[in-house]
Amino acid sequence: MPEGRGAPSVLLAGGGTAGHVNPLLAVADELHRRHPNARLTVLGTAQGLEARLVPEHGLPLAVVPRVPLPRRPTLDWFRLPGRLRAAVRAAGTAIDESGAQVVVGFGGYVATPAYLAARRRRIPVVIHEQNARPGLANRLGARWAASVAVTFPGTALRGAQVTGLPLRAPIARLVEQLEDDRAGTRAAAAAELGLDASLPTLLVTGGSLGAVSVNAAVAGAAADLLAAGVQVLHLTGAGKADAVRAALDGVPGAERYHVREYLTEMHLALAVADVVVGRSGAGTVCEQAALGIPAVYVPLPIGNGEQRLNAAAVVAAGGGLLVDDADLDPAWVRAHLPVLLVGETAVETRERMGHAAARVGVRDAAARVARLVEAELP
Protein backbone atom coordinates (compact mmCIF):
# COMPACT_ATOMS: atom_id res chain seq x y z
CA MET A 1 0.00 0.00 0.00
CA PRO A 2 1.47 3.39 -1.03
CA GLU A 3 1.93 5.42 2.13
CA GLY A 4 2.66 2.98 4.86
CA ARG A 5 0.89 -0.19 5.92
CA GLY A 6 -2.76 0.37 6.72
CA ALA A 7 -3.02 3.77 5.06
CA PRO A 8 -6.19 3.90 2.93
CA SER A 9 -5.99 5.24 -0.60
CA VAL A 10 -8.97 6.82 -2.33
CA LEU A 11 -9.32 8.31 -5.82
CA LEU A 12 -11.94 11.06 -6.08
CA ALA A 13 -13.16 11.81 -9.61
CA GLY A 14 -15.07 14.93 -10.58
CA GLY A 15 -14.57 18.24 -12.28
CA GLY A 16 -15.64 20.81 -14.78
CA THR A 17 -17.88 22.91 -12.57
CA ALA A 18 -18.10 24.03 -8.96
CA GLY A 19 -21.10 21.74 -8.61
CA HIS A 20 -18.82 18.74 -9.03
CA VAL A 21 -15.63 20.08 -7.43
CA ASN A 22 -17.03 21.55 -4.20
CA PRO A 23 -18.70 18.34 -2.96
CA LEU A 24 -15.56 16.41 -3.92
CA LEU A 25 -13.38 18.70 -1.81
CA ALA A 26 -15.83 18.53 1.10
CA VAL A 27 -15.69 14.72 1.11
CA ALA A 28 -11.90 14.81 0.77
CA ASP A 29 -11.70 17.07 3.83
CA GLU A 30 -13.93 14.71 5.81
CA LEU A 31 -11.92 11.64 4.79
CA HIS A 32 -8.70 13.40 5.77
CA ARG A 33 -10.21 14.35 9.13
CA ARG A 34 -11.16 10.74 9.78
CA HIS A 35 -7.96 9.25 8.32
CA PRO A 36 -5.06 11.74 8.60
CA ASN A 37 -2.69 9.25 6.94
CA ALA A 38 -4.98 8.54 3.97
CA ARG A 39 -3.70 8.99 0.45
CA LEU A 40 -6.24 11.07 -1.45
CA THR A 41 -5.85 11.66 -5.19
CA VAL A 42 -8.18 13.71 -7.38
CA LEU A 43 -8.88 12.81 -11.00
CA GLY A 44 -9.71 15.81 -13.15
CA THR A 45 -9.01 17.67 -16.37
CA ALA A 46 -6.49 20.36 -17.15
CA GLN A 47 -9.22 22.76 -18.25
CA GLY A 48 -11.89 22.52 -15.54
CA LEU A 49 -12.23 24.42 -12.28
CA GLU A 50 -10.49 21.54 -10.53
CA ALA A 51 -7.20 22.44 -12.26
CA ARG A 52 -7.02 25.46 -9.95
CA LEU A 53 -9.06 24.48 -6.88
CA VAL A 54 -7.58 21.03 -6.24
CA PRO A 55 -3.90 22.13 -6.04
CA GLU A 56 -4.98 25.15 -3.97
CA HIS A 57 -6.58 22.65 -1.60
CA GLY A 58 -3.28 20.82 -1.24
CA LEU A 59 -4.36 17.66 -3.07
CA PRO A 60 -2.58 15.98 -5.99
CA LEU A 61 -4.41 16.18 -9.33
CA ALA A 62 -4.11 13.36 -11.85
CA VAL A 63 -5.14 14.65 -15.26
CA VAL A 64 -7.30 12.82 -17.80
CA PRO A 65 -8.41 14.04 -21.24
CA ARG A 66 -11.78 15.77 -21.32
CA VAL A 67 -14.38 13.47 -22.92
CA PRO A 68 -17.79 15.10 -23.40
CA LEU A 69 -20.57 12.58 -23.97
CA PRO A 70 -22.68 13.80 -26.93
CA ARG A 71 -26.39 13.92 -26.09
CA ARG A 72 -27.41 13.64 -29.76
CA PRO A 73 -25.77 12.27 -32.92
CA THR A 74 -22.98 14.51 -34.23
CA LEU A 75 -19.51 13.99 -35.68
CA ASP A 76 -18.28 13.74 -32.07
CA TRP A 77 -19.91 10.31 -31.86
CA PHE A 78 -17.24 8.99 -34.22
CA ARG A 79 -14.43 10.49 -32.15
CA LEU A 80 -15.85 9.29 -28.83
CA PRO A 81 -14.46 5.71 -28.73
CA GLY A 82 -10.86 6.82 -29.23
CA ARG A 83 -11.15 9.69 -26.78
CA LEU A 84 -12.80 7.49 -24.19
CA ARG A 85 -10.15 4.77 -24.50
CA ALA A 86 -7.41 7.34 -23.88
CA ALA A 87 -9.26 8.74 -20.86
CA VAL A 88 -9.88 5.28 -19.39
CA ARG A 89 -6.16 4.47 -19.77
CA ALA A 90 -5.25 7.69 -17.98
CA ALA A 91 -7.75 6.98 -15.21
CA GLY A 92 -6.42 3.45 -14.87
CA THR A 93 -2.88 4.77 -14.55
CA ALA A 94 -4.01 7.12 -11.78
CA ILE A 95 -5.69 4.23 -9.95
CA ASP A 96 -2.63 2.02 -10.26
CA GLU A 97 -0.08 4.66 -9.28
CA SER A 98 -2.08 5.80 -6.26
CA GLY A 99 -2.98 2.28 -5.18
CA ALA A 100 -6.59 3.39 -4.89
CA GLN A 101 -8.84 0.97 -3.01
CA VAL A 102 -12.05 2.91 -3.70
CA VAL A 103 -13.05 5.31 -6.47
CA VAL A 104 -15.49 8.05 -5.50
CA GLY A 105 -17.21 9.79 -8.41
CA PHE A 106 -19.11 13.06 -8.44
CA GLY A 107 -20.15 13.11 -12.09
CA GLY A 108 -18.88 15.23 -14.93
CA TYR A 109 -16.56 14.45 -17.81
CA VAL A 110 -13.90 12.67 -15.75
CA ALA A 111 -16.26 10.37 -13.90
CA THR A 112 -17.07 8.00 -16.78
CA PRO A 113 -13.45 6.94 -17.47
CA ALA A 114 -12.87 6.60 -13.71
CA TYR A 115 -15.88 4.30 -13.34
CA LEU A 116 -14.86 2.18 -16.33
CA ALA A 117 -11.23 1.89 -15.20
CA ALA A 118 -12.32 0.94 -11.68
CA ARG A 119 -14.70 -1.70 -13.00
CA ARG A 120 -11.95 -3.34 -15.04
CA ARG A 121 -9.84 -3.57 -11.87
CA ARG A 122 -12.77 -4.73 -9.71
CA ILE A 123 -12.31 -1.74 -7.45
CA PRO A 124 -15.48 -0.58 -5.67
CA VAL A 125 -17.10 2.64 -6.84
CA VAL A 126 -19.06 5.07 -4.66
CA ILE A 127 -21.10 7.68 -6.52
CA HIS A 128 -22.52 11.00 -5.38
CA GLU A 129 -25.10 12.72 -7.59
CA GLN A 130 -25.57 16.42 -6.90
CA ASN A 131 -28.70 17.19 -8.89
CA ALA A 132 -32.26 15.94 -8.64
CA ARG A 133 -31.97 14.80 -12.26
CA PRO A 134 -28.81 12.69 -12.65
CA GLY A 135 -26.21 13.21 -15.35
CA LEU A 136 -25.09 10.70 -17.96
CA ALA A 137 -21.89 9.65 -16.19
CA ASN A 138 -23.59 8.80 -12.92
CA ARG A 139 -26.45 7.03 -14.66
CA LEU A 140 -23.84 4.77 -16.22
CA GLY A 141 -21.74 4.25 -13.10
CA ALA A 142 -24.73 3.55 -10.88
CA ARG A 143 -25.33 0.31 -12.79
CA TRP A 144 -22.46 -1.39 -10.94
CA ALA A 145 -21.54 1.00 -8.12
CA ALA A 146 -21.16 -0.37 -4.62
CA SER A 147 -23.03 2.63 -3.19
CA VAL A 148 -24.97 5.50 -4.74
CA ALA A 149 -25.51 8.69 -2.71
CA VAL A 150 -27.93 11.38 -3.87
CA THR A 151 -28.65 14.90 -2.71
CA PHE A 152 -32.42 14.90 -3.18
CA PRO A 153 -35.17 12.34 -2.56
CA GLY A 154 -36.61 10.88 -5.73
CA THR A 155 -33.41 11.00 -7.79
CA ALA A 156 -33.74 8.15 -10.27
CA LEU A 157 -30.57 6.10 -9.74
CA ARG A 158 -30.37 2.43 -8.91
CA GLY A 159 -29.84 1.79 -5.19
CA ALA A 160 -29.82 5.50 -4.35
CA GLN A 161 -29.69 6.59 -0.71
CA VAL A 162 -30.19 10.21 0.32
CA THR A 163 -27.14 11.79 1.94
CA GLY A 164 -27.64 15.44 1.04
CA LEU A 165 -24.94 17.59 -0.54
CA PRO A 166 -21.52 17.78 1.14
CA LEU A 167 -21.10 21.41 2.17
CA ARG A 168 -18.14 23.59 1.22
CA ALA A 169 -15.81 24.24 4.16
CA PRO A 170 -16.76 27.95 4.57
CA ILE A 171 -20.46 27.04 4.65
CA ALA A 172 -19.93 24.17 7.08
CA ARG A 173 -18.04 26.57 9.38
CA LEU A 174 -20.80 29.17 9.03
CA VAL A 175 -23.40 26.63 10.14
CA GLU A 176 -21.42 26.13 13.36
CA GLN A 177 -20.76 29.85 13.85
CA LEU A 178 -24.42 30.75 13.53
CA GLU A 179 -25.34 28.07 16.06
CA ASP A 180 -22.75 29.37 18.52
CA ASP A 181 -23.33 33.12 18.09
CA ARG A 182 -25.81 34.16 15.42
CA ALA A 183 -25.84 37.87 16.28
CA GLY A 184 -22.07 38.14 16.55
CA THR A 185 -21.48 36.23 13.32
CA ARG A 186 -23.97 38.44 11.48
CA ALA A 187 -22.42 41.64 12.86
CA ALA A 188 -18.88 40.59 11.92
CA ALA A 189 -19.92 39.64 8.38
CA ALA A 190 -21.88 42.87 7.92
CA ALA A 191 -18.91 44.95 9.05
CA GLU A 192 -16.65 43.18 6.57
CA LEU A 193 -19.10 43.83 3.74
CA GLY A 194 -19.84 47.44 4.73
CA LEU A 195 -23.46 46.67 5.62
CA ASP A 196 -25.66 47.58 8.57
CA ALA A 197 -26.34 44.44 10.61
CA SER A 198 -29.43 46.03 12.20
CA LEU A 199 -31.35 46.35 8.91
CA PRO A 200 -33.50 43.65 7.28
CA THR A 201 -31.29 42.44 4.45
CA LEU A 202 -32.18 41.03 1.05
CA LEU A 203 -29.48 39.13 -0.85
CA VAL A 204 -29.92 38.94 -4.62
CA THR A 205 -27.67 36.62 -6.60
CA GLY A 206 -27.64 34.81 -9.90
CA GLY A 207 -24.28 33.12 -9.37
CA SER A 208 -20.99 34.10 -10.98
CA LEU A 209 -22.63 34.68 -14.37
CA GLY A 210 -25.59 36.52 -12.89
CA ALA A 211 -29.21 36.35 -14.03
CA VAL A 212 -30.42 39.29 -16.12
CA SER A 213 -34.10 38.65 -15.41
CA VAL A 214 -33.55 38.49 -11.64
CA ASN A 215 -31.39 41.62 -11.77
CA ALA A 216 -34.03 43.58 -13.70
CA ALA A 217 -36.95 42.47 -11.52
CA VAL A 218 -35.36 43.36 -8.20
CA ALA A 219 -33.65 46.56 -9.38
CA GLY A 220 -36.96 47.64 -10.91
CA ALA A 221 -38.57 47.44 -7.47
CA ALA A 222 -35.66 49.14 -5.68
CA ALA A 223 -37.64 52.27 -4.80
CA ASP A 224 -40.29 50.24 -2.96
CA LEU A 225 -37.78 48.03 -1.16
CA LEU A 226 -35.73 51.00 0.01
CA ALA A 227 -38.81 53.01 1.02
CA ALA A 228 -39.80 50.09 3.23
CA GLY A 229 -36.42 50.25 5.01
CA VAL A 230 -34.81 47.22 3.40
CA GLN A 231 -31.07 46.87 2.84
CA VAL A 232 -30.07 45.08 -0.38
CA LEU A 233 -26.87 43.29 -1.31
CA HIS A 234 -27.14 42.63 -5.04
CA LEU A 235 -24.54 40.41 -6.70
CA THR A 236 -25.18 41.04 -10.38
CA GLY A 237 -22.74 38.70 -12.09
CA ALA A 238 -19.75 39.70 -14.18
CA GLY A 239 -20.39 42.66 -16.48
CA LYS A 240 -23.97 43.19 -15.32
CA ALA A 241 -23.58 45.77 -12.54
CA ASP A 242 -23.98 48.92 -14.66
CA ALA A 243 -27.60 48.17 -15.59
CA VAL A 244 -28.51 47.69 -11.93
CA ARG A 245 -26.72 50.85 -10.86
CA ALA A 246 -28.52 52.78 -13.60
CA ALA A 247 -31.87 51.65 -12.19
CA LEU A 248 -30.88 53.16 -8.82
CA ASP A 249 -30.11 56.60 -10.20
CA GLY A 250 -32.07 59.18 -8.20
CA VAL A 251 -33.83 56.60 -6.01
CA PRO A 252 -34.07 57.77 -2.37
CA GLY A 253 -32.12 55.52 0.00
CA ALA A 254 -29.90 54.11 -2.75
CA GLU A 255 -26.97 54.14 -0.31
CA ARG A 256 -28.64 51.06 1.26
CA TYR A 257 -28.63 49.21 -2.06
CA HIS A 258 -25.15 47.67 -2.38
CA VAL A 259 -24.17 46.48 -5.86
CA ARG A 260 -21.28 44.12 -6.58
CA GLU A 261 -20.56 41.95 -9.57
CA TYR A 262 -19.40 38.96 -7.55
CA LEU A 263 -18.37 38.02 -4.03
CA THR A 264 -15.75 35.36 -3.45
CA GLU A 265 -16.57 35.19 0.25
CA MET A 266 -20.18 34.15 -0.32
CA HIS A 267 -20.46 32.85 3.23
CA LEU A 268 -20.30 36.47 4.46
CA ALA A 269 -23.34 37.40 2.37
CA LEU A 270 -25.23 34.36 3.64
CA ALA A 271 -24.37 35.26 7.23
CA VAL A 272 -26.15 38.61 6.81
CA ALA A 273 -29.03 37.61 4.53
CA ASP A 274 -32.57 37.50 5.96
CA VAL A 275 -34.01 36.47 2.58
CA VAL A 276 -32.30 35.38 -0.64
CA VAL A 277 -33.56 35.74 -4.20
CA GLY A 278 -31.80 33.72 -6.88
CA ARG A 279 -31.53 30.59 -8.97
CA SER A 280 -32.00 27.08 -7.60
CA GLY A 281 -28.83 25.22 -8.44
CA ALA A 282 -28.26 22.23 -6.18
CA GLY A 283 -25.45 23.88 -4.21
CA THR A 284 -27.44 27.06 -3.69
CA VAL A 285 -30.54 25.23 -2.45
CA CYS A 286 -28.63 22.90 -0.14
CA GLU A 287 -26.44 25.59 1.40
CA GLN A 288 -29.36 27.93 2.08
CA ALA A 289 -31.45 25.10 3.52
CA ALA A 290 -28.64 23.93 5.79
CA LEU A 291 -28.28 27.52 7.03
CA GLY A 292 -32.04 27.89 7.46
CA ILE A 293 -32.36 30.94 5.18
CA PRO A 294 -35.78 31.69 3.62
CA ALA A 295 -35.43 32.03 -0.13
CA VAL A 296 -37.23 32.89 -3.32
CA TYR A 297 -36.10 30.38 -5.94
CA VAL A 298 -36.26 31.32 -9.62
CA PRO A 299 -35.34 28.19 -11.61
CA LEU A 300 -33.28 28.64 -14.74
CA PRO A 301 -35.83 28.64 -17.58
CA ILE A 302 -33.63 26.57 -19.90
CA GLY A 303 -32.10 23.11 -19.58
CA ASN A 304 -33.74 19.91 -18.37
CA GLY A 305 -35.78 21.39 -15.54
CA GLU A 306 -33.49 20.15 -12.78
CA GLN A 307 -33.44 23.50 -10.96
CA ARG A 308 -37.18 23.29 -10.31
CA LEU A 309 -36.71 19.78 -8.93
CA ASN A 310 -33.77 20.91 -6.78
CA ALA A 311 -35.96 23.38 -4.90
CA ALA A 312 -39.05 21.18 -4.70
CA ALA A 313 -38.51 19.68 -1.23
CA VAL A 314 -37.62 22.98 0.45
CA VAL A 315 -40.57 24.77 -1.15
CA ALA A 316 -42.96 21.94 -0.24
CA ALA A 317 -41.80 22.14 3.38
CA GLY A 318 -42.50 25.88 3.48
CA GLY A 319 -38.87 26.98 3.51
CA GLY A 320 -38.99 28.93 0.28
CA LEU A 321 -41.09 30.29 -2.56
CA LEU A 322 -40.84 29.18 -6.18
CA VAL A 323 -41.50 31.66 -8.98
CA ASP A 324 -41.10 31.05 -12.70
CA ASP A 325 -38.55 33.22 -14.43
CA ALA A 326 -41.26 34.57 -16.74
CA ASP A 327 -43.38 35.63 -13.75
CA LEU A 328 -40.63 37.43 -11.85
CA ASP A 329 -40.95 41.15 -12.51
CA PRO A 330 -40.87 44.32 -10.40
CA ALA A 331 -44.59 43.96 -9.61
CA TRP A 332 -44.01 40.46 -8.19
CA VAL A 333 -41.11 41.72 -6.10
CA ARG A 334 -43.18 44.62 -4.73
CA ALA A 335 -46.03 42.27 -3.83
CA HIS A 336 -44.04 39.49 -2.16
CA LEU A 337 -40.68 40.64 -0.79
CA PRO A 338 -41.36 43.65 1.48
CA VAL A 339 -43.78 41.58 3.61
CA LEU A 340 -40.99 39.06 4.25
CA LEU A 341 -38.55 41.75 5.33
CA VAL A 342 -40.50 44.44 7.21
CA GLY A 343 -43.79 44.74 9.08
CA GLU A 344 -45.45 43.13 12.07
CA THR A 345 -45.34 39.54 10.84
CA ALA A 346 -42.07 39.58 8.87
CA VAL A 347 -39.80 38.22 11.61
CA GLU A 348 -42.28 35.51 12.57
CA THR A 349 -42.74 34.50 8.91
CA ARG A 350 -38.99 34.34 8.30
CA GLU A 351 -38.44 32.27 11.42
CA ARG A 352 -41.11 29.81 10.36
CA MET A 353 -39.65 29.55 6.85
CA GLY A 354 -36.10 29.28 8.16
CA HIS A 355 -37.00 26.42 10.50
CA ALA A 356 -38.79 24.65 7.65
CA ALA A 357 -35.77 25.03 5.37
CA ALA A 358 -33.42 23.77 8.08
CA ARG A 359 -35.56 20.67 8.63
CA VAL A 360 -35.03 19.76 4.97
CA GLY A 361 -31.38 20.84 4.90
CA VAL A 362 -28.61 18.34 5.60
CA ARG A 363 -25.55 19.47 7.52
CA ASP A 364 -23.56 16.24 7.79
CA ALA A 365 -23.66 15.06 4.17
CA ALA A 366 -19.86 14.88 3.88
CA ALA A 367 -19.75 12.51 6.84
CA ARG A 368 -22.53 10.40 5.36
CA VAL A 369 -20.67 10.00 2.06
CA ALA A 370 -17.38 9.35 3.88
CA ARG A 371 -19.03 6.47 5.77
CA LEU A 372 -20.07 4.91 2.47
CA VAL A 373 -16.46 5.13 1.29
CA GLU A 374 -15.16 3.64 4.54
CA ALA A 375 -17.51 0.69 4.13
CA GLU A 376 -15.73 -0.25 0.87
CA LEU A 377 -12.17 -0.02 2.20
CA PRO A 378 -10.47 -3.37 2.80
Side-chain angles (χ1 to χ4, degrees):
M1 197 171 293
E3 289 193 357
R5 188 177 300 276
S9 181
V10 178
L11 183 79
L12 302 104
T17 68
H20 295 126
V21 180
N22 286 333
L24 182 155
L25 294 177
V27 172
D29 287 343
E30 180 65 17
L31 288 170
H32 186 263
R33 187 186 69 80
R34 291 165 172 256
H35 306 277
N37 65 336
R39 179 172 186 175
L40 305 178
T41 305
V42 177
L43 194 71
T45 69
Q47 298 83 23
L49 197 60
E50 67 274 16
R52 175 174 61 85
L53 292 182
V54 169
E56 286 180 358
H57 215 73
L59 292 170
L61 178 68
V63 174
V64 296
R66 182 176 178 271
V67 186
L69 299 180
R71 293 180 179 271
R72 54 184 59 87
T74 67
L75 288 176
D76 282 340
W77 273 110
F78 300 101
R79 303 185 185 100
L80 180 61
R83 289 175 173 174
L84 188 56
R85 280 194 297 270
V88 172
R89 283 196 300 272
T93 298
I95 291 172
D96 296 340
E97 290 182 351
S98 66
Q101 300 155 307
V102 182
V103 168
V104 190
F106 295 84
Y109 296 135
V110 303
T112 299
Y115 299 155
L116 292 172
R119 189 186 192 193
R120 290 180 181 178
R121 289 159 175 76
R122 298 186 179 180
I123 292 172
V125 169
V126 174
I127 286 174
H128 182 275
E129 172 57 50
Q130 176 198 194
N131 290 298
R133 186 163 285 164
L136 293 172
N138 282 349
R139 292 209 304 269
L140 173 68
R143 295 178 181 178
W144 64 81
S147 293
V148 178
V150 297
T151 299
F152 301 105
T155 299
L157 285 176
R158 181 183 298 177
Q161 51 188 302
V162 179
T163 61
L165 183 73
L167 298 175
R168 295 181 293 135
I171 302 299
R173 285 194 296 270
L174 180 58
V175 168
E176 297 177 357
Q177 291 165 351
L178 290 173
E179 284 186 344
D180 292 342
D181 182 6
R182 178 170 291 272
T185 300
R186 176 187 176 97
E192 196 158 342
L193 293 173
L195 304 178
D196 186 339
S198 69
L199 294 176
T201 302
L202 173 66
L203 171 63
V204 185
T205 175
S208 59
L209 298 178
V212 172
S213 56
V214 174
N215 289 350
V218 179
D224 297 82
L225 292 168
L226 295 170
V230 174
Q231 174 176 245
V232 181
L233 175 58
H234 193 146
L235 307 179
T236 67
K240 298 180 174 67
D242 287 346
V244 173
R245 292 193 179 105
L248 299 172
D249 189 33
V251 175
E255 69 278 359
R256 284 184 278 111
Y257 200 113
H258 302 259
V259 180
R260 297 187 181 208
E261 289 196 349
Y262 187 67
L263 182 64
T264 303
E265 302 84 2
M266 191 64 183
H267 58 285
L268 297 177
L270 293 171
V272 179
D274 292 302
V275 177
V276 180
V277 177
R279 297 298 191 201
S280 48
T284 297
V285 173
C286 293
E287 289 179 1
Q288 290 168 186
L291 292 164
I293 302 175
V296 174
Y297 292 110
V298 189
L300 193 69
I302 58 174
N304 61 8
E306 69 183 25
Q307 286 207 351
R308 177 176 289 273
L309 295 174
N310 290 345
V314 175
V315 172
L321 303 176
L322 189 75
V323 56
D324 287 339
D325 189 83
D327 295 333
L328 185 72
D329 58 15
W332 193 98
V333 173
R334 293 186 195 102
H336 295 87
L337 287 183
V339 295
L340 291 178
L341 290 156
V342 293
E344 295 180 0
T345 62
V347 172
E348 180 183 337
T349 300
R350 291 201 306 271
E351 287 181 350
R352 184 177 67 250
M353 292 179 69
H355 289 315
R359 284 196 299 272
V360 176
V362 178
R363 301 179 173 190
D364 65 341
R368 296 184 187 189
V369 176
R371 286 196 290 270
L372 296 178
V373 177
E374 288 173 331
E376 301 306 324
L377 288 170

